[in-house]
Amino acid sequence: MTDVHYTPEPVPFYGPRFQQDPDQLYRDMRKEYGPVVPVLLEGDVFAWLVIGYRELRYVLTNPQLFGRDSRRWNAWDRIPPDWPLMAFVGYQPSILFTEGAEHQRRAGAISDALASVDQFELRSRTERAADGLIDAFIGHGRADLIAQYAQPMPLLSISTLFGLPDAETPRLVADVTELLNTGPGVVEAHQRVQATMQRLLDTKRERPGPDLPSRLVAHPAGLTDEELIQDLVVLMSGGQEPTANWIANTLRLMLTDERFAVTLSGGRRSAGQALNEVMWEESPAQNSLGRWAVHDTQLGGQRIRAGDALVIGLAAANADPQVRPDSYGGSAGNHAHMSFGHGEHGCPHPAPELAEVIAYTAVEVLLDRLPDLGLSVPADDLVWRPSFRLRALSALPVEFSPGYARGLG
């Protein structure tokens, strides 16, 4: 489904080649097309993939040229309602699709609320949540660190920031997981999550507390209930999936790379380095179908038409040899990766810091509790989930010496 206007031959951005070795695909794309690549998404839907680091920064810092409101897409008449990526482009009245002053109003309220989070208390809550999850499997000597640890970990920490009653947390964890998996139950899961947020807002209006919903309700931005519900769902889902996969990908690195494995018994010194390297090499957020050209323009030597869709190639930009000539040498201590996005629609400050507190604590507690932790399958047998957006493992099976629950979770 291409237009005769596009002279470059688009590259399929789906299927086995993309799923099995995306890094090689990005290298081939860069060699043939440069920093901006014509691609076909699932269903042969045309888009431009931005893989150049500098070009991506330009796109993300120029919202007057590349907007976030998907309603300007010039291909809507060719997009079926059941398109696999519809959940990420269908317009919603959430902060994800706002622009200009409206976006600044809502993003400012979120940043202010997040800035009030006590990071020491967040670490303590995360430690307790981590201990509780480990207690559930430590006696067995085996576990899947995706399903039993990394996946539930972020929401257990985030739910406390939301002031959510403990009794509602397991149901919410299940609903948000279903929502992010975009499976057949996604609509019902989304409705349940919104209903939970509405009940939470009603409670916080009556009995405010030191939590994110209460701070947003009281914020001078004057957010409506619809805005609050939409943005709380974005905050919760945005904090869950990337952080869960950041934890999992870091554990995989530390269990498979001898540069980290040699310090597993201590873990403390290398955990931060592993977390940062993952953001460069195995970023949980790989791609985002998330900008639309406001006007006809030029980018990376390509002619972009008004309304064209741009895919934000976060992982490919991180691997741009113009900014990272050495695969590993440039990552240590370098936090200039694109994995949290950039510009006004990047992760709101201080969300990246809070995510790092959760991820670092989760990795550290696990390695402290299970010092002889090791994979129970060959590293080459680990399977990555087929996903346009994510770099995420299907499972991370491990084994260790059985221990005793602390009963502190």
Side-chain angles (χ1 to χ4, degrees), residues 20 24-25 28 34-36 64 75 106 115 117 250 272 291 307 309 316 320 343 346 354-355 381 388 392 409:
Q20 292 172 9
Q24 184 60 51
L25 178 59
D28 293 343
V36 180
Q64 71 277 11
R106 291 168 71 171
V117 173
T250 299
R291 297 297 184 278
D320 187 340
L354 302 180
D381 287 354
F388 164 77

Side-chain angles (χ1 to χ4, degrees), residues 10 55 67 129 139 153 172 262 273 303 309 317 325 339 397:
E55 288 74 17
M153 185 72 254
L172 184 65
V262 295
Q273 296 169 3
R303 181 184 174 191
S339 298

Side-chain angles (χ1 to χ4, degrees), residues 11 73 129 145-146 156 180 193 263 288 298 347 374:
V11 180
W73 197 2
L145 293 183
I146 301 297
L156 292 175
L180 295 172
V193 172
T263 62
S288 170
Q298 298 277 336
C347 290

Side-chain angles (χ1 to χ4, degrees), residues 300-324:
Q302 304 284 11
R303 181 184 174 191
I304 312 296
R305 293 190 310 173
D308 279 358
L310 284 83
V311 176
I312 306 306
L314 301 170
N318 285 342
D320 187 340
Q322 292 195 27
V323 295
R324 297 199 58 233

Side-chain angles (χ1 to χ4, degrees), residues 259-283:
R259 294 173 302 124
F260 296 96
V262 295
T263 62
L264 267 184
S265 59
R268 297 181 184 274
R269 185 171 60 88
S270 61
Q273 296 169 3
L275 285 162
N276 191 48
E277 183 167 310
V278 161
M279 286 309 225
W280 282 103
E281 305 293 337
E282 299 286 3
S283 173

Side-chain angles (χ1 to χ4, degrees), residues 52 135 138 190 197 209-210 263 316 402-403:
D135 280 354
I138 193 171
H190 191 264
M197 293 301 102
T263 62

Side-chain angles (χ1 to χ4, degrees), residues 153-155 158 180 233-244 351 355 358:
M153 185 72 254
L155 267 185
I158 294 170
L180 295 172
V233 172
V234 168
L235 266 178
M236 184 160 283
S237 57
Q240 162 60 19
E241 194 167 41
T243 308
I358 295 172

Side-chain angles (χ1 to χ4, degrees), residues 32-263:
E32 184 171 356
Y33 296 96
V36 180
V37 183
V39 296
L40 293 176
L41 306 176
E42 288 189 66
D44 288 348
V45 173
F46 185 89
W48 297 100
L49 171 65
V50 186
I51 62 175
Y53 185 94
R54 294 182 178 89
E55 288 74 17
L56 189 58
R57 283 181 64 95
Y58 180 77
V59 168
L60 298 180
T61 53
N62 283 279
Q64 71 277 11
L65 290 178
F66 305 99
R68 191 63 183 86
D69 190 332
S70 63
R71 291 175 294 185
R72 61 169 53 88
W73 197 2
N74 57 25
W76 274 122
D77 61 339
R78 304 190 296 276
I79 306 299
D82 60 348
W83 190 48
L85 300 180
M86 181 62 78
F88 311 112
V89 298
Y91 179 83
Q92 300 173 24
S94 78
I95 191 173
L96 293 178
F97 295 93
T98 56
E99 299 178 346
E102 174 66 9
H103 180 77
Q104 293 169 12
R105 178 178 72 91
R106 291 168 71 171
I110 289 174
S111 290
D112 290 345
L114 291 174
S116 300
V117 173
D118 184 330
Q119 294 191 20
F120 293 101
E121 178 60 22
L122 177 61
R123 177 183 173 87
S124 177
R125 291 170 174 173
T126 304
E127 288 175 344
R128 293 196 296 272
D131 277 325
L133 291 172
I134 295 168
D135 280 354
F137 60 72
I138 193 171
H140 303 290
R142 303 177 70 87
D144 172 12
L145 293 183
I146 301 297
Q148 295 175 266
Y149 192 70
Q151 198 63 40
M153 185 72 254
L155 267 185
L156 292 175
S157 296
I158 294 170
S159 63
T160 60
L161 301 182
F162 276 60
L164 195 73
D166 290 343
E168 293 203 36
T169 298
R171 176 72 260 180
L172 184 65
V173 170
D175 285 339
V176 172
T177 301
E178 180 73 24
L179 176 65
L180 295 172
N181 286 337
T182 64
V186 65
V187 174
E188 293 80 3
H190 191 264
Q191 291 172 344
R192 290 193 298 269
V193 172
Q194 286 193 319
T196 300
M197 293 301 102
Q198 181 64 70
R199 291 194 302 273
L200 187 61
L201 284 175
D202 293 341
T203 299
K204 298 307 176 183
R205 289 188 189 282
E206 294 179 7
R207 298 185 298 278
D211 49 66
L212 293 177
S214 296
R215 295 181 187 119
L216 287 171
V217 165
H219 196 276
L223 301 175
T224 66
D225 265 21
E226 181 182 32
E227 292 170 339
L228 286 165
I229 290 172
Q230 291 282 344
D231 293 350
L232 285 172
V233 172
V234 168
L235 266 178
M236 184 160 283
S237 57
Q240 162 60 19
E241 194 167 41
T243 308
N245 293 320
W246 193 10
I247 295 168
N249 294 357
T250 299
L251 290 170
R252 184 204 67 85
L253 174 65
M254 299 185 76
L255 291 169
T256 59
D257 191 311
E258 62 182 11
R259 294 173 302 124
F260 296 96
V262 295
T263 62

